[in-house]
Amino acid sequence: FWLISRDMPHLEQLQISNECPQTNKPCSSAMLTFPHLERLDLKYAHADYVELFLRTPKTSLPRLSILRMRNK
């Protein structure tokens, strides 16, 4: 996701559809920033991705206004 945030800084919508757990969890010290991301859809994403985007202090989503997730 670091490459996406770096190469697509004006990305406004992102949908992640991967119900498999991450095999190589990121351990980078780099900040993951999506400065223009307004809509994040994690409904079909494994909990690892939810944690990456929402519970990691190194992730910045300053314009996020729509978050879609599934309830467990």
Side-chain angles (χ1 to χ4, degrees):
F1 293 107
W2 184 84
L3 289 174
I4 295 170
S5 73
R6 184 193 72 188
D7 294 343
M8 303 169 75
H10 297 287
L11 186 71
E12 294 179 1
Q13 297 183 35
L14 178 62
Q15 177 180 358
I16 299 171
S17 298
N18 186 350
E19 296 183 352
C20 299
Q22 287 181 297
T23 54
N24 297 318
K25 293 191 179 183
C27 57
S28 173
S29 61
M31 183 79 168
L32 184 62
T33 302
F34 288 92
H36 297 281
L37 190 69
E38 296 176 359
R39 183 176 193 271
L40 178 59
D41 187 341
L42 299 170
K43 186 168 183 173
Y44 300 106
H46 188 272
D48 287 349
Y49 299 100
V50 175
E51 184 172 335
L52 172 69
F53 278 95
L54 303 178
R55 298 192 63 200
T56 304
K58 295 178 186 169
T59 302
S60 175
L61 306 168
R63 291 191 180 180
L64 187 67
S65 60
I66 299 171
L67 174 63
R68 186 174 179 210
M69 295 174 28
R70 79 178 132 194
N71 291 331
K72 284 215 172 197

